[in-house]
Amino acid sequence: MKNTSALSRRNFLKLSASALAGLAFLNLPQPAFASRAGIKKVSLADCPVDPVEVAKGSDCVQNAWSFLLETTAALKDAALRDKVQQVLTFPAPTFMQQYVTDSSIQQIYQQLLQNGLVDASKITAETLFPPGKSDQVPQPFYSAPGSGYNSHHSYPGGLATHTAVNVTIVQGIIQTYRTIFGYEDSADTAVAGELLHDLAKPWVFQWQADGSSLPEQTIAGTGAHHIFSIAESIFREIPPAVITAQACAHNHPGTASDEAQV
């Protein structure tokens, strides 16, 4: 046996995480969205061109969307449950209430620039934010892609299926901690963090008339939707612990550099 005293706390946590990941897989709920979805053969000529209609017509996407709403409804904290539900059903960038004038946008752009968080050769004040107003939903949560092209789940409804994947995995991890360690910390925090982790994607990845989605900018060395999602949660007064879990969904703070980014 290894001498565990020689293991650093961080290395021990890494080993534990690897073991838990394997156990979590065995504990995963099995919603089987795809197997429940009927296969519909549609000719190219009959394919809808509206991304919202595409997502509405996909049983797999709609099963995932229903799962997200049901999971939200099952959150025990009533105030948190209401806030998450509001985000999912009204994914507008409400924090943009702070930036309604050119001068306010220029001011925040200069602050980002001075702190080295944006590259002036790639982002201007005019391109810092995607188009849209704080009281307008750019598209339903369930029709947004999971990411841009050349990345993951980049189809209408990809955000719903991607989020359902993450939520299902975290539910398995929660169950594993309960089974192995009897750990009963708030599951609401972890689940809500995953439900919200990509809340800005309906705004950032708006579908265009040519079938593409808007390109994503980079802020603070990461995809802008990460930054905007956190900003939106702060503005909507999501609990700090959930916001921290939301940030960790994009980068596990297992190293000093990763921790600094989170």
Side-chain angles (χ1 to χ4, degrees):
M1 293 181 65
K2 275 188 176 181
N3 181 2
T4 55
S5 63
L7 288 174
S8 69
R9 178 176 178 274
R10 175 160 289 169
N11 287 338
F12 174 75
L13 290 174
K14 285 181 179 179
L15 290 171
S16 299
S18 298
L20 286 170
L23 288 167
F25 178 80
L26 298 177
N27 286 323
L28 286 178
Q30 301 298 325
F33 302 142
S35 64
R36 294 208 312 265
I39 298 176
K40 304 172 185 176
K41 293 184 178 181
V42 181
S43 69
L44 185 60
D46 293 331
C47 284
V49 295
D50 181 359
V52 175
E53 292 304 314
V54 172
K56 281 183 178 179
S58 168
D59 289 343
C60 186
V61 169
Q62 290 305 308
N63 287 337
W65 175 236
S66 295
F67 169 71
L68 297 181
L69 295 179
E70 291 165 3
T71 302
T72 300
L75 294 173
K76 295 179 180 179
D77 185 317
L80 176 61
R81 181 171 64 242
D82 290 345
K83 286 181 180 294
V84 174
Q85 186 177 46
Q86 289 168 16
V87 170
L88 295 183
T89 57
F90 191 76
T94 63
F95 80 96
M96 286 298 292
Q97 294 173 32
Q98 305 167 105
Y99 310 110
V100 295
T101 64
D102 290 342
S103 61
S104 61
I105 293 175
Q106 187 63 236
Q107 183 179 18
I108 190 63
Y109 175 74
Q110 289 300 324
Q111 290 178 0
L112 293 169
L113 198 61
Q114 290 166 12
N115 285 280
L117 300 176
V118 294
D119 184 342
S121 69
K122 297 179 180 179
I123 302 177
T124 65
E126 291 73 27
T127 61
L128 177 62
F129 297 118
K133 297 181 179 180
S134 62
D135 60 349
Q136 295 178 346
V137 174
Q139 63 178 313
F141 188 97
Y142 64 76
S143 72
S147 194
Y149 289 122
N150 298 319
S151 190
H152 62 83
H153 308 98
S154 56
Y155 50 83
L159 177 57
T161 56
H162 166 69
T163 305
V165 165
N166 282 25
V167 170
T168 303
I169 290 172
V170 83
Q171 287 175 332
I173 293 173
I174 290 168
Q175 184 57 49
T176 296
Y177 270 85
R178 287 173 176 164
T179 301
I180 305 302
F181 299 120
Y183 189 64
E184 289 293 342
D185 196 13
S186 175
D188 276 10
T189 298
V191 172
E194 289 298 337
L195 285 165
L196 298 174
H197 84 285
D198 277 342
L199 68 87
K201 283 184 174 178
W203 182 43
V204 171
F205 293 111
Q206 295 177 51
W207 292 108
Q208 304 300 288
D210 64 358
S212 66
S213 60
L214 283 177
E216 183 179 30
Q217 303 288 10
T218 298
I219 301 176
T222 190
H225 79 273
H226 298 164
I227 306 302
F228 296 151
S229 294
I230 295 297
E232 184 65 18
S233 287
I234 292 172
F235 190 78
R236 294 202 192 208
E237 298 183 340
I238 300 294
V242 176
I243 295 175
T244 302
Q246 180 184 345
C248 291
H250 286 116
N251 197 3
H252 168 60
T255 67
S257 60
D258 288 340
E259 186 174 342
Q261 188 178 44
V262 171

